[in-house]
């Protein structure tokens, strides 16, 4: 079985995409945007795309604009061969893995025009990672333009619910800037321990992996308390996470899923972020309505 076609430039990608869409008379194109370091969470995105779209594409680009720390950018795990193998085994047809200069010709200077994620990009993750969501909004806008299939085919893009704030901002981006793209959310994949799958888990030692389960445990406890009609007792849950060895809690909040502002009503979204062994991890869970 031949693997996915690997393209490095926008011109190559567009020409291969046009060829595949015509060859398959495709009504839609599925896009899975990634930064590589692929895991089963990404595989779930690819499977969702495969189930919907006759042509499945993925991007692999570690976007410097969304890293606020040069060290974090440098340490981000990279393994093209392993990523290409996973793309291949999940039936991805076309991969776009550009060099940084292809995406940002003025690099290391920032592009002059960037996309703002507004106030939604400045709270929660955005408060600790200034500029992060503007970087995401900028690269995702570029990817939507680059992958825009010519003719009647429509672009569908798959995003994990694990990055809940990113998903909300991408949805706003599409609505506010009229991108002709359908956003498809895909549920978070978890390890048996409850730990949400993430590329950053590769940076955890075994003992940090154990410690990191404090995040999902707090979220599950919150959801169960809400389901039982009990007081959420956020303060006690925050204490429980703070008391866990090797875990430095940044935030544990319950927010309105539409605005990301704190709420005491359901349906709601509980969001958590913490450093475990120096690695920033995030997770979230839906708290259903009554
Ligand atoms: O979720 C990610 O991996 C990245 O933020 C994305 C959407 C590929 C943009 O760089």
């Amino acid at each position: 079985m031949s693997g996915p076609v690997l393209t490095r430039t926008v011109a190559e990608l567009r020409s291969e995409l046009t060829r595949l869409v015509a060859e398959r008379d495709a009504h839609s194109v599925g896009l899975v945007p990634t930064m590589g370091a692929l895991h089963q969470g990404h595989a779930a995105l690819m499977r969702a795309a495969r189930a919907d779209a006759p042509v499945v594409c993925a991007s692999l680009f570690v976007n410097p604009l969304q890293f606020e720390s040069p060290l974090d950018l440098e340490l981000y795990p990279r393994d093209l061969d392993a990523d290409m193998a996973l793309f291949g085994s999940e039936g991805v047809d076309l991969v776009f893995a550009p060099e940084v200069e292809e995406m940002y010709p003025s690099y290391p200077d920032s592009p002059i025009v960037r996309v703002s994620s507004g106030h939604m990009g400045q709270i929660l993750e955005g408060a600790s990672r200034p500029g992060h969501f503007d970087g995401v909004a900028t690269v995702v806008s570029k990817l939507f333009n680059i992958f825009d299939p010519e003719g009647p085919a429509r672009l569908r893009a798959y995003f994990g619910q694990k990055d809940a704030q990113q998903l909300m901002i991408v949805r706003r981006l599409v609505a506010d800037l009229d991108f002709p793209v359908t956003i498809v959310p895909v549920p978070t994949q978890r390890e048996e321990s409850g730990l949400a799958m993430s590329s950053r888990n590769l940076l955890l030692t075994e003992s940090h992996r154990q410690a990191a389960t404090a995040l999902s445990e707090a979220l599950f406890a919150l959801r169960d308390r809400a389901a039982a009609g009990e007081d959420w007792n956020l303060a006690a849950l925050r204490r429980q996470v703070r008391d866990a060895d090797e875990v430095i809690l940044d935030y544990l909040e319950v927010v309105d899923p539409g605005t990301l502002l704190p709420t005491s009503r359901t349906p709601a979204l509980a969001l958590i972020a913490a450093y475990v062994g120096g690695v920033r991890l995030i997770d979230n869970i839906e708290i259903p309505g009554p």
Side-chain angles (χ1 to χ4, degrees):
M1 200 185 77
S2 63
V5 176
L6 174 61
T7 59
R8 296 289 197 174
T9 65
V10 173
E12 270 169 26
L13 180 277
R14 284 195 173 136
S15 127
E16 284 298 325
L17 183 59
T18 304
R19 183 184 63 76
L20 271 172
V21 168
E23 205 173 275
R24 297 186 189 174
D25 195 15
H27 53 82
S28 65
V29 167
L31 169 64
V32 179
T34 84
M35 297 204 301
L38 303 177
H39 50 73
Q40 286 307 306
H42 294 108
L45 302 180
M46 295 171 215
R47 282 197 287 273
R50 183 84 275 162
D52 286 347
V55 173
V56 177
C57 304
S59 60
L60 194 174
F61 178 61
V62 182
N63 173 34
L65 248 51
Q66 68 189 78
F67 286 81
E68 55 296 337
S69 136
L71 184 66
D72 202 21
L73 173 62
E74 192 186 316
L75 292 181
Y76 200 82
R78 292 166 171 89
D79 186 344
L80 179 65
D81 291 343
D83 290 342
M84 285 304 288
L86 190 82
F87 285 136
S89 65
E90 293 301 337
V92 171
D93 301 299
L94 191 50
V95 175
F96 175 53
E99 294 295 337
V100 67
E101 290 78 10
E102 178 71 7
M103 292 295 273
Y104 304 122
S106 61
Y107 188 79
D109 292 339
S110 287
I112 292 170
V113 177
R114 277 162 286 164
V115 179
S116 163
S117 56
H119 74 276
M120 260 187 187
Q122 287 167 11
I123 55 178
L124 298 163
E125 274 310 279
S128 298
R129 306 186 62 189
H132 168 71
F133 287 113
D134 292 356
V136 171
T138 302
V139 81
V140 167
S141 303
K142 284 176 71 77
L143 292 171
F144 288 168
N145 285 328
I146 292 167
F147 279 87
D148 182 24
E150 284 171 12
R154 270 192 73 96
L155 186 60
R156 298 169 65 82
Y158 297 76
F159 288 85
Q161 286 176 334
K162 192 199 133 243
D163 296 310
Q165 192 173 358
Q166 167 171 285
L167 176 59
M168 284 199 60
I169 288 171
V170 170
R171 283 186 147 142
R172 276 258 56 96
L173 173 80
V174 165
D176 291 352
L177 299 187
D178 299 302
F179 278 103
V181 180
T182 304
I183 302 301
V184 187
V186 177
T188 303
Q189 305 295 301
R190 297 185 180 279
E191 295 184 3
E192 231 167 84
S193 65
L195 177 65
M197 290 188 184
S198 161
S199 302
R200 287 169 186 266
N201 294 356
L202 286 173
L203 303 170
L204 299 172
T205 63
E206 199 39 54
S207 84
H208 291 147
R209 237 166 216 270
Q210 296 281 331
T213 56
L215 278 70
S216 51
E217 276 162 15
L219 294 177
F220 297 153
L222 235 165
R223 180 199 52 195
D224 294 347
R225 284 179 194 178
E230 292 167 16
D231 183 350
W232 299 344
N233 205 342
L234 262 182
L237 281 170
R238 286 185 186 124
R239 256 196 318 276
Q240 180 184 311
V241 179
R242 280 197 191 104
D243 287 349
D245 277 348
E246 324 240 32
V247 180
I248 300 173
L249 180 66
D250 185 357
Y251 59 79
L252 171 59
E253 297 289 350
V254 179
V255 301
D256 180 294
T259 62
L260 292 180
L261 297 174
T263 186
S264 51
R265 295 205 182 146
T266 58
L269 194 59
L271 299 160
I272 191 166
Y275 290 92
V276 182
V279 179
R280 186 176 180 86
L281 299 177
I282 58 171
D283 197 357
N284 69 85
I285 207 158
E286 279 174 21
I287 303 183

